[in-house]
Amino acid sequence: FKFLKPKTACDTAAFRKFIENDFMTARLLRYIHDCNFLPQYDFIFSENGTRYCQHVLHYENLKDEFNDLMSRSKVTIRLDSLSTKEPLCNLKIPDDLLPVIWSHYSE
């Protein structure tokens, strides 16, 4: 949210506006905001179900999975930490927006 709209306030009203406006636009223009509105499976599978990639790394375990993949591939690159340029925006997503978000990314 803050990554896509860096000058936006980190509050529930701004997030609601972001979801209502940008999710609606993303239904028409799938590739807006550097494809950040595309469901993750669109990066892994083609429309006919062909798998594009061999290794899927999960964000919640990115460091360990990345390092393991590099070790198995005999590549000496390691991920030591994750960081962001922006401070984190920790807000509670309103209950009425959860179905909108889940619906957009489900499949």
Side-chain angles (χ1 to χ4, degrees):
F1 164 62
K2 293 285 286 176
F3 170 74
L4 297 175
K5 304 274 187 174
K7 299 197 186 301
T8 304
C10 180
D11 63 39
T12 304
F15 183 73
R16 176 179 297 284
K17 184 177 178 184
F18 169 72
I19 294 297
E20 291 171 350
N21 294 338
D22 288 29
F23 269 39
M24 189 61 73
T25 303
R27 290 176 200 256
L28 303 171
L29 305 169
R30 289 180 42 111
Y31 304 104
I32 64 168
H33 296 303
D34 295 325
C35 298
N36 281 291
F37 285 103
L38 287 177
Q40 290 181 357
Y41 63 81
D42 281 357
F43 294 95
I44 300 169
F45 298 100
S46 70
E47 289 182 9
N48 69 5
T50 302
R51 188 170 176 154
Y52 289 127
C53 58
Q54 296 173 338
H55 308 284
V56 175
L57 306 180
H58 303 88
Y59 188 78
E60 59 272 12
N61 198 25
L62 184 60
K63 181 180 162 187
D64 291 337
E65 290 181 19
F66 177 84
N67 290 338
D68 181 57
L69 176 61
M70 294 301 103
S71 291
R72 286 185 283 126
S73 302
K74 299 192 182 350
V75 176
T76 58
I77 296 171
R78 295 291 175 264
L79 183 59
D80 293 324
S81 65
L82 301 174
S83 65
T84 64
K85 292 187 280 184
E86 297 282 328
L88 294 178
C89 177
N90 292 315
L91 57 84
K92 181 178 180 332
I93 298 173
D95 290 338
D96 64 310
L97 290 182
L98 287 172
V100 175
I101 296 167
W102 280 110
S103 172
H104 181 82
Y105 289 109
S106 68
E107 186 151 323

